[in-house]
Amino acid sequence: MPGKSIRISRLSMTALGAALRVSLWNPGFFCGVLLLTAVFLAAGEPYAEYLIESGGSMEGAAWIAVFAYSVSSEQSLMFLLLVVPLAASAEVQDEIKSRYALFLAGRSGKKNYLADRIIGTACAGGFMSVLAMSALLLAGAVRCAGIPDLSAAGEGISAWSLIPDFLCGFLNGALWSLIGSAAAVIARSRYLAYAVPFVLSYVLNVFQERYYPELFFLSPKQWAFPSYYSAGTCIGILLFLGLAVSAVLGRLMERRVS
């Protein structure tokens, strides 16, 4: 029995590795990273020009200030919802429709297959967001190399303070990738995987701003880049929603595969 358990464990790890390769090593993932990076750079360029004209940054290192401005801009946050589903959100529906999911579930076990696909879908959206943010940070360091730091010593933004931003970025990308996948499975159409995250986020933002203007935690913008709450609060919200959507997606996939 121990040998059988080891073989099952190895098979599960192999299946998970294959799921991650399918989700991350595909044209949609790399195109998404490039598109999202381009949008981040375009969103931050006006602020970089402003800092140059102002003679320096009062918020700490200019490259970090430009990074924070870029990833929190409304254009970046909305465009991210259009891009993160490109990598893997439609893959589950495609596999179920082609009945390839039955083969994979029979090979690795239904529970392992469901877990692997959910993890792969979440990682695709999360890593796409993180890689684009990393590219923005590197490009910003080059772009803002000549902009002086005018903040008082110790009062500016530090590089360590960006760790929660990257974590929020990963969880936010993972959440909307999972939502797109769940929408595709529910509607049995891969195309809704690309449309539903953007539409749902827009509706939630409008709903919060119009009816509950003081309840900022209802806004997807706050989940992605918190300004009214601490990063820990938004990380908790993203974790809770991500797990909830994962559970729903797993249930939907199980019913379709069965």
Side-chain angles (χ1 to χ4, degrees), residues 98-231:
S98 67
R99 304 183 69 83
Y100 185 54
L102 296 176
F103 167 75
L104 295 174
R107 182 182 179 184
S108 62
K110 184 187 296 184
K111 291 184 178 180
N112 289 332
Y113 169 72
L114 299 179
D116 294 345
R117 282 296 175 265
I118 290 172
I119 293 173
T121 301
C123 287
F127 282 123
M128 182 184 294
S129 178
V130 167
L131 287 177
M133 293 170 69
S134 300
L136 168 67
L137 202 60
L138 292 175
V142 176
R143 177 69 176 86
C144 303
I147 303 177
D149 182 358
L150 303 180
S151 64
E155 295 182 1
I157 305 173
S158 66
W160 291 107
S161 67
L162 299 181
I163 293 178
D165 297 336
F166 274 88
L167 185 54
C168 282
F170 179 87
L171 294 174
N172 187 55
L175 171 64
W176 293 108
S177 183
L178 290 167
I179 289 176
S181 186
V185 174
I186 292 174
R188 305 194 177 195
S189 171
R190 73 186 324 269
Y191 301 106
L192 286 184
Y194 310 124
V196 167
F198 179 86
V199 174
L200 180 60
S201 177
Y202 179 80
V203 170
L204 291 175
N205 282 322
V206 171
F207 180 81
Q208 182 270 324
E209 291 173 358
R210 179 170 300 180
Y211 298 106
Y212 299 98
E214 296 181 356
L215 301 180
F216 299 105
F217 65 87
L218 296 177
S219 173
K221 296 178 183 178
Q222 286 298 308
W223 309 341
F225 195 88
S227 59
Y228 291 94
Y229 303 103
S230 67

Side-chain angles (χ1 to χ4, degrees), residues 2-70:
K4 183 178 180 181
S5 300
I6 293 174
R7 287 195 298 271
I8 292 175
S9 177
R10 288 177 177 175
L11 182 60
S12 301
M13 292 302 296
T14 301
L16 176 58
L20 290 174
R21 285 196 299 271
V22 170
S23 300
L24 301 179
W25 194 260
N26 64 74
F29 179 79
F30 292 107
C31 288
V33 172
L34 292 176
L35 288 172
L36 193 55
T37 301
V39 171
F40 284 163
L41 292 173
E45 181 59 24
Y47 190 62
E49 293 288 345
Y50 167 77
L51 293 180
I52 293 174
E53 295 176 358
S54 301
S57 171
M58 298 295 296
E59 301 176 350
W63 57 287
I64 299 179
V66 170
F67 169 84
Y69 177 88
S70 178

